[in-house]
Amino acid sequence: MRRPALVSVGALALLVLLAAPVTQVRFGMYDDRILPASSPVAETSKRLRAEFGSQWVDAASVVLPGRPGAMSGSVADPPTDPVLDAYARRLAQVPGVRRVDARTGTYRDGRRTAPPDASSGRFAGAGGT
């Protein structure tokens, strides 16, 4: 080659020109938010998210290993676990926590608002609760 530097610069410029459109690519899942704001679908979806947001999307699970997990009674004879009850009450007082479901009941704002029911058994396991 008589002029390798000139050929290299030209080839590099051509590659940069061909790659320019790719600089604006964003990878990820798409949904209605990629639509223009004036789109009726985008407007409706925005309103649904704002007014009917799912409270369970950000739900967190707290597992207490080593706590007895087996239900110690039926719905008519609810399980008693003073340690779990006290922990659930404290957890329900944490800012941002809307509700705590445990095998001993449902808690809000530091107090038990509902006793355990038939579905409370799902919070019991052999290794903990």
Side-chain angles (χ1 to χ4, degrees):
M1 270 189 159
R2 293 181 60 173
R3 301 176 194 261
L6 185 60
V7 172
S8 296
V9 169
L12 185 59
L14 179 63
L15 288 174
V16 168
L17 184 66
L18 290 173
V22 181
T23 61
Q24 300 300 316
V25 170
R26 288 181 292 170
F27 296 101
M29 299 300 292
Y30 58 90
D31 61 8
D32 55 273
R33 289 175 272 203
I34 65 170
L35 297 172
S38 62
S39 165
V41 173
E43 289 174 9
T44 302
S45 296
K46 183 178 177 182
R47 185 172 178 189
L48 284 172
R49 263 196 251 16
E51 296 179 19
F52 302 98
S54 174
Q55 61 184 346
W56 303 113
V57 171
D58 296 327
S61 295
V62 177
V63 178
L64 301 175
R67 292 294 317 147
M71 293 289 281
S72 59
S74 65
V75 175
D77 178 27
T80 57
D81 185 344
V83 174
L84 178 59
D85 182 67
Y87 183 78
R89 289 175 191 271
R90 285 193 316 271
L91 190 59
Q93 291 176 331
V94 173
V97 173
R98 293 183 187 175
R99 183 173 97 188
V100 174
D101 291 322
R103 68 183 177 92
T104 54
T106 300
Y107 301 82
R108 286 193 174 114
D109 300 321
R111 58 189 175 82
R112 189 165 71 174
T113 58
D117 59 16
S119 68
S120 297
R122 72 183 189 270
F123 300 113
T129 185

